[in-house]
Amino acid sequence: MKLGNKVTMITGAARGIGKEIAMIFARAGSDLALCDVNEEALASTKAEIEAETGRKVLVEKVDVTSPEEVEAFVKKILDNFDTLDILVNNAGITRDNLALRMSEAEWDAVLGVNLKGAFNCIKAVTRPMMKKRSGKILNMASIIGIMGNAGQANYAASKGGLIALTKTIAKELGSRNINVNAIAPGFIQTDMTDKISAEAREKLLAFIPLGRMGQTQDVAELALFLASDDAAYITGQVIQVDGGMVM
């Protein structure tokens, strides 16, 4: 099993890509510590994973923009599992608007969850990972952080910032045998992309060489590889899962 007896913390794990990563990691042998702000969906995900895989699943409602809540959750993970091997920063939100019309609240909300939240989690897990001299950190970026997108100045800035943060933390922690990488999904079939109109969807597909939207499993399988020992010599990288949309 690729992640035999490791412990993984995943943010934004109640639904979508986060849930799929949690399920695939559990199947690969990892115990899980999952957090989200949606308690009901989180409880359902916990029950589903435990029933299928038999792995231990710790869940907690956590606002990743709060350093205190993140630190308390990491402490709870260490108290329950005695270790923390992998962090997946998946929590993310959108508040789309043209820059001219974007409110300060819309800007702050997206940067708070997508970028500050990831930083809070990285900071909280760094000390235990450094003490062990091993660890894997995966940050969920986006192709929007690479190419930009009209109406998503806040989201693009948060994901571009997350890419820069990934490279910086990879350099800071490399000497302690901690790998830090980012995944940049393209358009993946989730609740978020389900809101795209049929007309807009057709226009998007015209720009994707593979001619289809991705599935959450496409992202989760890459996350599994990067979190495993198979990727021991990969760090500071941004890997796109976008069907060839951005080359």
Side-chain angles (χ1 to χ4, degrees):
M1 301 177 78
K2 281 181 177 287
L3 303 180
N5 299 317
K6 292 187 182 296
V7 175
T8 303
M9 171 181 166
I10 306 174
T11 69
R15 298 181 300 176
I17 291 173
K19 178 182 178 180
E20 188 70 29
I21 291 173
M23 181 63 80
I24 284 182
F25 278 32
R27 289 173 185 152
S30 178
D31 290 327
L32 303 172
L34 311 178
C35 66
D36 205 295
V37 292
N38 188 332
E39 287 185 281
E40 185 177 348
L42 193 59
S44 175
T45 294
K46 169 184 167 71
E48 187 178 337
I49 293 172
E50 288 179 333
E52 179 180 326
T53 69
R55 304 304 309 185
K56 296 177 183 176
V57 183
L58 173 70
V59 298
E60 185 92 0
K61 180 181 179 182
V62 176
D63 175 0
V64 294
T65 68
S66 167
E68 294 79 15
E69 289 191 27
V70 171
E71 289 167 8
F73 185 49
V74 170
K75 183 179 185 303
K76 190 172 183 179
I77 295 169
L78 295 172
D79 288 344
N80 279 266
F81 295 107
D82 296 322
T83 189
L84 178 52
D85 304 289
I86 303 160
L87 166 65
V88 181
N89 277 314
N90 174 73
I93 63 170
T94 57
R95 297 288 186 272
D96 295 350
N97 213 338
L98 292 174
L100 182 66
R101 299 171 183 166
M102 185 172 291
S103 68
E104 184 177 358
E106 289 170 331
W107 175 270
D108 288 346
V110 173
L111 270 290
V113 173
N114 298 5
L115 186 54
K116 181 184 177 183
F119 172 75
N120 287 340
C121 293
I122 289 169
K123 189 173 182 181
V125 306
T126 293
R127 195 173 299 279
M129 285 187 177
M130 287 178 68
K131 189 175 180 179
K132 288 181 54 180
R133 299 189 69 85
S134 69
K136 304 276 187 171
I137 297 174
L138 303 179
N139 296 321
M140 199 58 62
S142 168
I143 59 166
I144 303 304
I146 298 170
M147 62 181 282
N149 195 35
Q152 289 193 303
N154 49 4
Y155 188 75
S158 71
K159 295 302 186 177
L162 189 57
I163 289 170
L165 179 64
T166 298
K167 294 177 180 293
T168 297
I169 302 301
K171 289 183 176 182
E172 290 186 1
L173 301 183
S175 64
R176 297 301 181 100
N177 195 37
I178 298 170
N179 302 69
V180 188
N181 291 291
I183 297 173
F187 288 92
I188 308 298
Q189 196 76 49
T190 64
D191 291 344
M192 191 180 294
T193 55
D194 283 344
K195 298 173 185 176
I196 299 173
S197 68
E199 182 181 358
R201 186 181 298 265
E202 287 303 312
K203 289 180 179 178
L204 282 173
L205 292 178
F207 289 99
I208 302 174
L210 288 184
R212 64 175 178 85
M213 296 184 75
Q215 302 299 312
T216 54
Q217 185 175 350
D218 296 321
V219 181
E221 291 289 359
L222 174 59
L224 176 60
F225 167 69
L226 291 173
S228 74
D229 291 340
D230 294 336
Y233 200 55
I234 299 174
T235 197
Q237 302 305 304
V238 184
I239 303 178
Q240 297 165 210
V241 187
D242 63 358
M245 184 174 178
V246 179
M247 295 188 187

mmCIF file with all atom_site columns, all heavy atoms in Angstrom, residues 15 92-96 187-201 204 213:
data_model
loop_
_atom_site.group_PDB
_atom_site.id
_atom_site.type_symbol
_atom_site.label_atom_id
_atom_site.label_alt_id
_atom_site.label_comp_id
_atom_site.label_asym_id
_atom_site.label_entity_id
_atom_site.label_seq_id
_atom_site.pdbx_PDB_ins_code
_atom_site.Cartn_x
_atom_site.Cartn_y
_atom_site.Cartn_z
_atom_site.occupancy
_atom_site.B_iso_or_equiv
_atom_site.pdbx_formal_charge
_atom_site.auth_seq_id
_atom_site.auth_comp_id
_atom_site.auth_asym_id
_atom_site.auth_atom_id
_atom_site.pdbx_PDB_model_num
ATOM 1   N N   . ARG A 1 15  ? -16.285 17.515 0.445   1.00 0.00 ? 15  ARG A N   1
ATOM 2   C CA  . ARG A 1 15  ? -16.875 17.242 -0.868  1.00 0.00 ? 15  ARG A CA  1
ATOM 3   C C   . ARG A 1 15  ? -15.818 17.379 -1.963  1.00 0.00 ? 15  ARG A C   1
ATOM 4   O O   . ARG A 1 15  ? -14.688 17.767 -1.709  1.00 0.00 ? 15  ARG A O   1
ATOM 5   C CB  . ARG A 1 15  ? -18.017 18.227 -1.153  1.00 0.00 ? 15  ARG A CB  1
ATOM 6   C CG  . ARG A 1 15  ? -19.177 18.144 -0.193  1.00 0.00 ? 15  ARG A CG  1
ATOM 7   C CD  . ARG A 1 15  ? -20.272 19.139 -0.564  1.00 0.00 ? 15  ARG A CD  1
ATOM 8   N NE  . ARG A 1 15  ? -19.797 20.513 -0.541  1.00 0.00 ? 15  ARG A NE  1
ATOM 9   C CZ  . ARG A 1 15  ? -20.543 21.556 -0.912  1.00 0.00 ? 15  ARG A CZ  1
ATOM 10  N NH1 . ARG A 1 15  ? -21.762 21.374 -1.347  1.00 0.00 ? 15  ARG A NH1 1
ATOM 11  N NH2 . ARG A 1 15  ? -20.042 22.787 -0.857  1.00 0.00 ? 15  ARG A NH2 1
ATOM 12  N N   . GLY A 1 92  ? -10.773 25.782 -0.522  1.00 0.00 ? 92  GLY A N   1
ATOM 13  C CA  . GLY A 1 92  ? -10.765 26.921 -1.430  1.00 0.00 ? 92  GLY A CA  1
ATOM 14  C C   . GLY A 1 92  ? -12.175 27.404 -1.726  1.00 0.00 ? 92  GLY A C   1
ATOM 15  O O   . GLY A 1 92  ? -13.131 26.628 -1.688  1.00 0.00 ? 92  GLY A O   1
ATOM 16  N N   . ILE A 1 93  ? -12.298 28.691 -2.003  1.00 0.00 ? 93  ILE A N   1
ATOM 17  C CA  . ILE A 1 93  ? -13.585 29.285 -2.340  1.00 0.00 ? 93  ILE A CA  1
ATOM 18  C C   . ILE A 1 93  ? -13.413 30.239 -3.522  1.00 0.00 ? 93  ILE A C   1
ATOM 19  O O   . ILE A 1 93  ? -12.297 30.607 -3.877  1.00 0.00 ? 93  ILE A O   1
ATOM 20  C CB  . ILE A 1 93  ? -14.206 30.064 -1.158  1.00 0.00 ? 93  ILE A CB  1
ATOM 21  C CG1 . ILE A 1 93  ? -13.313 31.245 -0.755  1.00 0.00 ? 93  ILE A CG1 1
ATOM 22  C CG2 . ILE A 1 93  ? -14.450 29.137 0.023   1.00 0.00 ? 93  ILE A CG2 1
ATOM 23  C CD1 . ILE A 1 93  ? -13.960 32.190 0.241   1.00 0.00 ? 93  ILE A CD1 1
ATOM 24  N N   . THR A 1 94  ? -14.527 30.623 -4.136  1.00 0.00 ? 94  THR A N   1
ATOM 25  C CA  . THR A 1 94  ? -14.539 31.651 -5.164  1.00 0.00 ? 94  THR A CA  1
ATOM 26  C C   . THR A 1 94  ? -15.559 32.722 -4.787  1.00 0.00 ? 94  THR A C   1
ATOM 27  O O   . THR A 1 94  ? -16.573 32.420 -4.142  1.00 0.00 ? 94  THR A O   1
ATOM 28  C CB  . THR A 1 94  ? -14.917 31.097 -6.550  1.00 0.00 ? 94  THR A CB  1
ATOM 29  O OG1 . THR A 1 94  ? -16.205 30.463 -6.473  1.00 0.00 ? 94  THR A OG1 1
ATOM 30  C CG2 . THR A 1 94  ? -13.899 30.087 -7.040  1.00 0.00 ? 94  THR A CG2 1
ATOM 31  N N   . ARG A 1 95  ? -15.277 33.943 -5.184  1.00 0.00 ? 95  ARG A N   1
ATOM 32  C CA  . ARG A 1 95  ? -16.218 35.065 -5.077  1.00 0.00 ? 95  ARG A CA  1
ATOM 33  C C   . ARG A 1 95  ? -15.985 35.914 -6.321  1.00 0.00 ? 95  ARG A C   1
ATOM 34  O O   . ARG A 1 95  ? -15.357 36.949 -6.282  1.00 0.00 ? 95  ARG A O   1
ATOM 35  C CB  . ARG A 1 95  ? -15.972 35.899 -3.807  1.00 0.00 ? 95  ARG A CB  1
ATOM 36  C CG  . ARG A 1 95  ? -16.175 35.170 -2.502  1.00 0.00 ? 95  ARG A CG  1
ATOM 37  C CD  . ARG A 1 95  ? -17.651 34.908 -2.213  1.00 0.00 ? 95  ARG A CD  1
ATOM 38  N NE  . ARG A 1 95  ? -17.830 34.335 -0.888  1.00 0.00 ? 95  ARG A NE  1
ATOM 39  C CZ  . ARG A 1 95  ? -17.790 33.036 -0.618  1.00 0.00 ? 95  ARG A CZ  1
ATOM 40  N NH1 . ARG A 1 95  ? -17.560 32.178 -1.603  1.00 0.00 ? 95  ARG A NH1 1
ATOM 41  N NH2 . ARG A 1 95  ? -17.987 32.591 0.612   1.00 0.00 ? 95  ARG A NH2 1
ATOM 42  N N   . ASP A 1 96  ? -16.508 35.452 -7.459  1.00 0.00 ? 96  ASP A N   1
ATOM 43  C CA  . ASP A 1 96  ? -16.167 36.038 -8.751  1.00 0.00 ? 96  ASP A CA  1
ATOM 44  C C   . ASP A 1 96  ? -16.824 37.399 -8.970  1.00 0.00 ? 96  ASP A C   1
ATOM 45  O O   . ASP A 1 96  ? -17.990 37.621 -8.623  1.00 0.00 ? 96  ASP A O   1
ATOM 46  C CB  . ASP A 1 96  ? -16.576 35.084 -9.875  1.00 0.00 ? 96  ASP A CB  1
ATOM 47  C CG  . ASP A 1 96  ? -15.803 33.776 -9.862  1.00 0.00 ? 96  ASP A CG  1
ATOM 48  O OD1 . ASP A 1 96  ? -14.819 33.677 -9.099  1.00 0.00 ? 96  ASP A OD1 1
ATOM 49  O OD2 . ASP A 1 96  ? -16.170 32.858 -10.618 1.00 0.00 ? 96  ASP A OD2 1
ATOM 50  N N   . PHE A 1 187 ? -10.362 22.473 -15.514 1.00 0.00 ? 187 PHE A N   1
ATOM 51  C CA  . PHE A 1 187 ? -11.801 22.418 -15.218 1.00 0.00 ? 187 PHE A CA  1
ATOM 52  C C   . PHE A 1 187 ? -12.198 20.987 -14.877 1.00 0.00 ? 187 PHE A C   1
ATOM 53  O O   . PHE A 1 187 ? -12.223 20.103 -15.731 1.00 0.00 ? 187 PHE A O   1
ATOM 54  C CB  . PHE A 1 187 ? -12.587 22.982 -16.397 1.00 0.00 ? 187 PHE A CB  1
ATOM 55  C CG  . PHE A 1 187 ? -12.434 24.478 -16.506 1.00 0.00 ? 187 PHE A CG  1
ATOM 56  C CD1 . PHE A 1 187 ? -11.431 25.025 -17.293 1.00 0.00 ? 187 PHE A CD1 1
ATOM 57  C CD2 . PHE A 1 187 ? -13.246 25.324 -15.775 1.00 0.00 ? 187 PHE A CD2 1
ATOM 58  C CE1 . PHE A 1 187 ? -11.251 26.401 -17.362 1.00 0.00 ? 187 PHE A CE1 1
ATOM 59  C CE2 . PHE A 1 187 ? -13.074 26.707 -15.831 1.00 0.00 ? 187 PHE A CE2 1
ATOM 60  C CZ  . PHE A 1 187 ? -12.077 27.243 -16.630 1.00 0.00 ? 187 PHE A CZ  1
ATOM 61  N N   . ILE A 1 188 ? -12.467 20.779 -13.599 1.00 0.00 ? 188 ILE A N   1
ATOM 62  C CA  . ILE A 1 188 ? -12.785 19.465 -13.048 1.00 0.00 ? 188 ILE A CA  1
ATOM 63  C C   . ILE A 1 188 ? -14.276 19.422 -12.701 1.00 0.00 ? 188 ILE A C   1
ATOM 64  O O   . ILE A 1 188 ? -14.838 20.395 -12.194 1.00 0.00 ? 188 ILE A O   1
ATOM 65  C CB  . ILE A 1 188 ? -11.954 19.185 -11.783 1.00 0.00 ? 188 ILE A CB  1
ATOM 66  C CG1 . ILE A 1 188 ? -10.461 19.407 -12.056 1.00 0.00 ? 188 ILE A CG1 1
ATOM 67  C CG2 . ILE A 1 188 ? -12.217 17.779 -11.262 1.00 0.00 ? 188 ILE A CG2 1
ATOM 68  C CD1 . ILE A 1 188 ? -9.850  18.509 -13.103 1.00 0.00 ? 188 ILE A CD1 1
ATOM 69  N N   . GLN A 1 189 ? -14.906 18.300 -12.986 1.00 0.00 ? 189 GLN A N   1
ATOM 70  C CA  . GLN A 1 189 ? -16.340 18.150 -12.716 1.00 0.00 ? 189 GLN A CA  1
ATOM 71  C C   . GLN A 1 189 ? -16.593 18.113 -11.214 1.00 0.00 ? 189 GLN A C   1
ATOM 72  O O   . GLN A 1 189 ? -16.356 17.105 -10.541 1.00 0.00 ? 189 GLN A O   1
ATOM 73  C CB  . GLN A 1 189 ? -16.855 16.857 -13.350 1.00 0.00 ? 189 GLN A CB  1
ATOM 74  C CG  . GLN A 1 189 ? -18.366 16.773 -13.461 1.00 0.00 ? 189 GLN A CG  1
ATOM 75  C CD  . GLN A 1 189 ? -18.909 17.624 -14.601 1.00 0.00 ? 189 GLN A CD  1
ATOM 76  O OE1 . GLN A 1 189 ? -18.414 17.539 -15.722 1.00 0.00 ? 189 GLN A OE1 1
ATOM 77  N NE2 . GLN A 1 189 ? -19.901 18.435 -14.323 1.00 0.00 ? 189 GLN A NE2 1
ATOM 78  N N   . THR A 1 190 ? -17.056 19.228 -10.658 1.00 0.00 ? 190 THR A N   1
ATOM 79  C CA  . THR A 1 190 ? -17.389 19.337 -9.230  1.00 0.00 ? 190 THR A CA  1
ATOM 80  C C   . THR A 1 190 ? -18.635 20.195 -9.083  1.00 0.00 ? 190 THR A C   1
ATOM 81  O O   . THR A 1 190 ? -19.178 20.713 -10.063 1.00 0.00 ? 190 THR A O   1
ATOM 82  C CB  . THR A 1 190 ? -16.242 20.014 -8.439  1.00 0.00 ? 190 THR A CB  1
ATOM 83  O OG1 . THR A 1 190 ? -16.092 21.359 -8.924  1.00 0.00 ? 190 THR A OG1 1
ATOM 84  C CG2 . THR A 1 190 ? -14.926 19.277 -8.597  1.00 0.00 ? 190 THR A CG2 1
ATOM 85  N N   . ASP A 1 191 ? -19.088 20.363 -7.836  1.00 0.00 ? 191 ASP A N   1
ATOM 86  C CA  . ASP A 1 191 ? -20.240 21.238 -7.587  1.00 0.00 ? 191 ASP A CA  1
ATOM 87  C C   . ASP A 1 191 ? -19.965 22.649 -8.102  1.00 0.00 ? 191 ASP A C   1
ATOM 88  O O   . ASP A 1 191 ? -20.863 23.343 -8.567  1.00 0.00 ? 191 ASP A O   1
ATOM 89  C CB  . ASP A 1 191 ? -20.543 21.300 -6.081  1.00 0.00 ? 191 ASP A CB  1
ATOM 90  C CG  . ASP A 1 191 ? -21.072 19.981 -5.544  1.00 0.00 ? 191 ASP A CG  1
ATOM 91  O OD1 . ASP A 1 191 ? -21.484 19.143 -6.366  1.00 0.00 ? 191 ASP A OD1 1
ATOM 92  O OD2 . ASP A 1 191 ? -21.083 19.799 -4.308  1.00 0.00 ? 191 ASP A OD2 1
ATOM 93  N N   . MET A 1 192 ? -18.707 23.092 -7.996  1.00 0.00 ? 192 MET A N   1
ATOM 94  C CA  . MET A 1 192 ? -18.338 24.440 -8.423  1.00 0.00 ? 192 MET A CA  1
ATOM 95  C C   . MET A 1 192 ? -18.505 24.600 -9.932  1.00 0.00 ? 192 MET A C   1
ATOM 96  O O   . MET A 1 192 ? -19.081 25.579 -10.411 1.00 0.00 ? 192 MET A O   1
ATOM 97  C CB  . MET A 1 192 ? -16.899 24.747 -8.005  1.00 0.00 ? 192 MET A CB  1
ATOM 98  C CG  . MET A 1 192 ? -16.491 26.196 -8.158  1.00 0.00 ? 192 MET A CG  1
ATOM 99  S SD  . MET A 1 192 ? -14.760 26.495 -7.651  1.00 0.00 ? 192 MET A SD  1
ATOM 100 C CE  . MET A 1 192 ? -14.867 26.162 -5.892  1.00 0.00 ? 192 MET A CE  1
ATOM 101 N N   . THR A 1 193 ? -18.021 23.620 -10.697 1.00 0.00 ? 193 THR A N   1
ATOM 102 C CA  . THR A 1 193 ? -18.114 23.732 -12.163 1.00 0.00 ? 193 THR A CA  1
ATOM 103 C C   . THR A 1 193 ? -19.489 23.345 -12.690 1.00 0.00 ? 193 THR A C   1
ATOM 104 O O   . THR A 1 193 ? -19.820 23.674 -13.838 1.00 0.00 ? 193 THR A O   1
ATOM 105 C CB  . THR A 1 193 ? -17.040 22.856 -12.848 1.00 0.00 ? 193 THR A CB  1
ATOM 106 O OG1 . THR A 1 193 ? -17.159 21.505 -12.392 1.00 0.00 ? 193 THR A OG1 1
ATOM 107 C CG2 . THR A 1 193 ? -15.653 23.362 -12.535 1.00 0.00 ? 193 THR A CG2 1
ATOM 108 N N   . ASP A 1 194 ? -20.307 22.687 -11.881 1.00 0.00 ? 194 ASP A N   1
ATOM 109 C CA  . ASP A 1 194 ? -21.674 22.360 -12.294 1.00 0.00 ? 194 ASP A CA  1
ATOM 110 C C   . ASP A 1 194 ? -22.500 23.621 -12.524 1.00 0.00 ? 194 ASP A C   1
ATOM 111 O O   . ASP A 1 194 ? -23.533 23.591 -13.211 1.00 0.00 ? 194 ASP A O   1
ATOM 112 C CB  . ASP A 1 194 ? -22.368 21.491 -11.241 1.00 0.00 ? 194 ASP A CB  1
ATOM 113 C CG  . ASP A 1 194 ? -21.893 20.049 -11.297 1.00 0.00 ? 194 ASP A CG  1
ATOM 114 O OD1 . ASP A 1 194 ? -21.282 19.660 -12.311 1.00 0.00 ? 194 ASP A OD1 1
ATOM 115 O OD2 . ASP A 1 194 ? -22.126 19.305 -10.323 1.00 0.00 ? 194 ASP A OD2 1
ATOM 116 N N   . LYS A 1 195 ? -22.057 24.737 -11.941 1.00 0.00 ? 195 LYS A N   1
ATOM 117 C CA  . LYS A 1 195 ? -22.787 26.003 -12.074 1.00 0.00 ? 195 LYS A CA  1
ATOM 118 C C   . LYS A 1 195 ? -22.528 26.686 -13.414 1.00 0.00 ? 195 LYS A C   1
ATOM 119 O O   . LYS A 1 195 ? -23.192 27.649 -13.762 1.00 0.00 ? 195 LYS A O   1
ATOM 120 C CB  . LYS A 1 195 ? -22.386 26.944 -10.927 1.00 0.00 ? 195 LYS A CB  1
ATOM 121 C CG  . LYS A 1 195 ? -22.731 26.406 -9.542  1.00 0.00 ? 195 LYS A CG  1
ATOM 122 C CD  . LYS A 1 195 ? -22.165 27.306 -8.445  1.00 0.00 ? 195 LYS A CD  1
ATOM 123 C CE  . LYS A 1 195 ? -22.414 26.712 -7.067  1.00 0.00 ? 195 LYS A CE  1
ATOM 124 N NZ  . LYS A 1 195 ? -21.783 27.520 -5.986  1.00 0.00 ? 195 LYS A NZ  1
ATOM 125 N N   . ILE A 1 196 ? -21.545 26.179 -14.176 1.00 0.00 ? 196 ILE A N   1
ATOM 126 C CA  . ILE A 1 196 ? -21.230 26.763 -15.481 1.00 0.00 ? 196 ILE A CA  1
ATOM 127 C C   . ILE A 1 196 ? -22.356 26.451 -16.465 1.00 0.00 ? 196 ILE A C   1
ATOM 128 O O   . ILE A 1 196 ? -22.826 25.314 -16.547 1.00 0.00 ? 196 ILE A O   1
ATOM 129 C CB  . ILE A 1 196 ? -19.891 26.213 -16.012 1.00 0.00 ? 196 ILE A CB  1
ATOM 130 C CG1 . ILE A 1 196 ? -18.747 26.565 -15.059 1.00 0.00 ? 196 ILE A CG1 1
ATOM 131 C CG2 . ILE A 1 196 ? -19.590 26.755 -17.401 1.00 0.00 ? 196 ILE A CG2 1
ATOM 132 C CD1 . ILE A 1 196 ? -17.424 25.921 -15.432 1.00 0.00 ? 196 ILE A CD1 1
ATOM 133 N N   . SER A 1 197 ? -22.789 27.439 -17.220 1.00 0.00 ? 197 SER A N   1
ATOM 134 C CA  . SER A 1 197 ? -23.872 27.245 -18.185 1.00 0.00 ? 197 SER A CA  1
ATOM 135 C C   . SER A 1 197 ? -23.428 26.316 -19.310 1.00 0.00 ? 197 SER A C   1
ATOM 136 O O   . SER A 1 197 ? -22.229 26.156 -19.572 1.00 0.00 ? 197 SER A O   1
ATOM 137 C CB  . SER A 1 197 ? -24.312 28.582 -18.775 1.00 0.00 ? 197 SER A CB  1
ATOM 138 O OG  . SER A 1 197 ? -23.284 29.123 -19.595 1.00 0.00 ? 197 SER A OG  1
ATOM 139 N N   . ALA A 1 198 ? -24.416 25.709 -20.002 1.00 0.00 ? 198 ALA A N   1
ATOM 140 C CA  . ALA A 1 198 ? -24.112 24.784 -21.094 1.00 0.00 ? 198 ALA A CA  1
ATOM 141 C C   . ALA A 1 198 ? -23.331 25.481 -22.201 1.00 0.00 ? 198 ALA A C   1
ATOM 142 O O   . ALA A 1 198 ? -22.400 24.911 -22.789 1.00 0.00 ? 198 ALA A O   1
ATOM 143 C CB  . ALA A 1 198 ? -25.408 24.195 -21.645 1.00 0.00 ? 198 ALA A CB  1
ATOM 144 N N   . GLU A 1 199 ? -23.690 26.727 -22.483 1.00 0.00 ? 199 GLU A N   1
ATOM 145 C CA  . GLU A 1 199 ? -23.002 27.488 -23.523 1.00 0.00 ? 199 GLU A CA  1
ATOM 146 C C   . GLU A 1 199 ? -21.548 27.752 -23.151 1.00 0.00 ? 199 GLU A C   1
ATOM 147 O O   . GLU A 1 199 ? -20.632 27.551 -23.958 1.00 0.00 ? 199 GLU A O   1
ATOM 148 C CB  . GLU A 1 199 ? -23.717 28.816 -23.752 1.00 0.00 ? 199 GLU A CB  1
ATOM 149 C CG  . GLU A 1 199 ? -23.105 29.664 -24.860 1.00 0.00 ? 199 GLU A CG  1
ATOM 150 C CD  . GLU A 1 199 ? -23.811 30.995 -25.043 1.00 0.00 ? 199 GLU A CD  1
ATOM 151 O OE1 . GLU A 1 199 ? -24.805 31.251 -24.335 1.00 0.00 ? 199 GLU A OE1 1
ATOM 152 O OE2 . GLU A 1 199 ? -23.364 31.784 -25.904 1.00 0.00 ? 199 GLU A OE2 1
ATOM 153 N N   . ALA A 1 200 ? -21.332 28.160 -21.909 1.00 0.00 ? 200 ALA A N   1
ATOM 154 C CA  . ALA A 1 200 ? -19.966 28.420 -21.440 1.00 0.00 ? 200 ALA A CA  1
ATOM 155 C C   . ALA A 1 200 ? -19.155 27.133 -21.399 1.00 0.00 ? 200 ALA A C   1
ATOM 156 O O   . ALA A 1 200 ? -17.953 27.128 -21.703 1.00 0.00 ? 200 ALA A O   1
ATOM 157 C CB  . ALA A 1 200 ? -20.003 29.067 -20.062 1.00 0.00 ? 200 ALA A CB  1
ATOM 158 N N   . ARG A 1 201 ? -19.809 26.039 -21.050 1.00 0.00 ? 201 ARG A N   1
ATOM 159 C CA  . ARG A 1 201 ? -19.126 24.741 -20.995 1.00 0.00 ? 201 ARG A CA  1
ATOM 160 C C   . ARG A 1 201 ? -18.608 24.341 -22.373 1.00 0.00 ? 201 ARG A C   1
ATOM 161 O O   . ARG A 1 201 ? -17.474 23.871 -22.517 1.00 0.00 ? 201 ARG A O   1
ATOM 162 C CB  . ARG A 1 201 ? -20.077 23.683 -20.444 1.00 0.00 ? 201 ARG A CB  1
ATOM 163 C CG  . ARG A 1 201 ? -19.442 22.320 -20.212 1.00 0.00 ? 201 ARG A CG  1
ATOM 164 C CD  . ARG A 1 201 ? -20.498 21.347 -19.696 1.00 0.00 ? 201 ARG A CD  1
ATOM 165 N NE  . ARG A 1 201 ? -21.022 21.795 -18.429 1.00 0.00 ? 201 ARG A NE  1
ATOM 166 C CZ  . ARG A 1 201 ? -20.580 21.376 -17.246 1.00 0.00 ? 201 ARG A CZ  1
ATOM 167 N NH1 . ARG A 1 201 ? -19.599 20.497 -17.187 1.00 0.00 ? 201 ARG A NH1 1
ATOM 168 N NH2 . ARG A 1 201 ? -21.119 21.830 -16.136 1.00 0.00 ? 201 ARG A NH2 1
ATOM 169 N N   . LEU A 1 204 ? -15.548 26.296 -23.245 1.00 0.00 ? 204 LEU A N   1
ATOM 170 C CA  . LEU A 1 204 ? -14.389 25.807 -22.509 1.00 0.00 ? 204 LEU A CA  1
ATOM 171 C C   . LEU A 1 204 ? -13.817 24.546 -23.126 1.00 0.00 ? 204 LEU A C   1
ATOM 172 O O   . LEU A 1 204 ? -12.596 24.412 -23.298 1.00 0.00 ? 204 LEU A O   1
ATOM 173 C CB  . LEU A 1 204 ? -14.778 25.518 -21.050 1.00 0.00 ? 204 LEU A CB  1
ATOM 174 C CG  . LEU A 1 204 ? -14.905 26.702 -20.106 1.00 0.00 ? 204 LEU A CG  1
ATOM 175 C CD1 . LEU A 1 204 ? -15.460 26.236 -18.769 1.00 0.00 ? 204 LEU A CD1 1
ATOM 176 C CD2 . LEU A 1 204 ? -13.554 27.366 -19.910 1.00 0.00 ? 204 LEU A CD2 1
ATOM 177 N N   . MET A 1 213 ? -14.030 17.618 -19.627 1.00 0.00 ? 213 MET A N   1
ATOM 178 C CA  . MET A 1 213 ? -13.643 18.101 -18.319 1.00 0.00 ? 213 MET A CA  1
ATOM 179 C C   . MET A 1 213 ? -13.016 16.959 -17.535 1.00 0.00 ? 213 MET A C   1
ATOM 180 O O   . MET A 1 213 ? -13.294 15.785 -17.803 1.00 0.00 ? 213 MET A O   1
ATOM 181 C CB  . MET A 1 213 ? -14.867 18.652 -17.574 1.00 0.00 ? 213 MET A CB  1
ATOM 182 C CG  . MET A 1 213 ? -15.475 19.874 -18.242 1.00 0.00 ? 213 MET A CG  1
ATOM 183 S SD  . MET A 1 213 ? -16.841 20.591 -17.299 1.00 0.00 ? 213 MET A SD  1
ATOM 184 C CE  . MET A 1 213 ? -15.932 21.393 -15.981 1.00 0.00 ? 213 MET A CE  1
#
